[in-house]
């Protein structure tokens, strides 16, 4: 299973902070533009938030089980660098203690093969 489909099993939420106009946030904006649809399709109930404000430094904040949070400053990152960073954050979630909150619920996880069947649910 792709790391993109494991967002909802390894994390509780993910937040992007981005400036809508600065050049240093361009990689984050590009990443969100090109990956938003696949993230939503593969993790339909997983909370992904985007907060934008002028002058805001680009960062990613993820919350794991037991309210463990990790913030990464991604100011000036390219789209590819940001993808690598998020993949690492997802992988870190596999090593953390699990709470009952993170046990998979029916149709909470969508495998990439399910995307072809999206009209069925």
């Amino acid at each position: 299973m792709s790391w993109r489909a494991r967002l909802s099993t390894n994390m509780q939420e993910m937040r992007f902070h981005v400036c809508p106009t600065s050049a240093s946030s361009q990689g984050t904006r590009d990443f969100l533009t090109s990956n938003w649809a696949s993230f939503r399709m593969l993790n339909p109930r997983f909370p992904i938030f985007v907060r934008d404000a002028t002058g805001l430094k680009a960062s990613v904040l993820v919350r794991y089980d037991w309210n463990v949070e990790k913030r990464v400053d991604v100011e000036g990152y390219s789209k590819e660098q940001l993808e690598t960073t998020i993949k690492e954050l997802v992988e870190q979630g596999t090593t953390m203690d699990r709470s009952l909150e993170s046990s998979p619920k029916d149709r909470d996880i969508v495998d990439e093969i399910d995307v072809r069947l999206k009209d069925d649910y």
Side-chain angles (χ1 to χ4, degrees):
M1 183 184 326
S2 165
W3 66 269
R4 294 170 196 274
R6 290 193 319 256
L7 290 178
S8 58
T9 58
N10 293 354
M11 302 175 178
Q12 293 301 316
E13 72 178 47
M14 183 166 49
R15 296 181 213 158
F16 293 91
H17 299 129
V18 63
C19 176
T21 57
S22 81
S24 59
S25 290
Q26 185 64 46
T28 306
R29 292 192 305 268
D30 292 344
F31 176 82
L32 289 169
T33 301
S34 62
N35 291 287
W36 184 263
S38 67
F39 280 169
R40 295 305 329 149
M41 194 177 310
L42 294 170
N43 303 278
R45 294 186 190 130
F46 179 70
I48 303 173
F49 303 105
V50 178
R51 303 288 184 240
D52 63 335
T54 304
L56 192 62
K57 293 184 87 172
S59 65
V60 176
L61 178 106
V62 296
R63 185 172 59 85
Y64 299 103
D65 287 333
W66 306 107
N67 250 359
V68 174
E69 291 186 350
K70 174 139 182 151
R71 178 184 300 270
V72 178
D73 179 23
V74 294
E75 190 80 11
Y77 277 32
S78 69
K79 181 171 84 168
E80 294 77 20
Q81 288 173 308
L82 185 56
E83 182 170 333
T84 301
T85 300
I86 293 175
K87 183 177 180 180
E88 290 169 1
L89 291 169
V90 170
E91 295 301 323
Q92 285 179 13
T94 61
T95 63
M96 300 203 165
D97 291 335
R98 302 286 183 175
S99 68
L100 291 177
E101 180 181 9
S102 67
S103 58
K105 295 149 194 79
D106 186 36
R107 297 307 299 169
D108 196 28
I109 303 165
V110 179
D111 200 330
E112 290 173 336
I113 254 173
D114 292 338
V115 172
R116 287 182 264 148
L117 307 172
K118 69 181 180 180
D119 294 329
D120 294 340
Y121 53 95

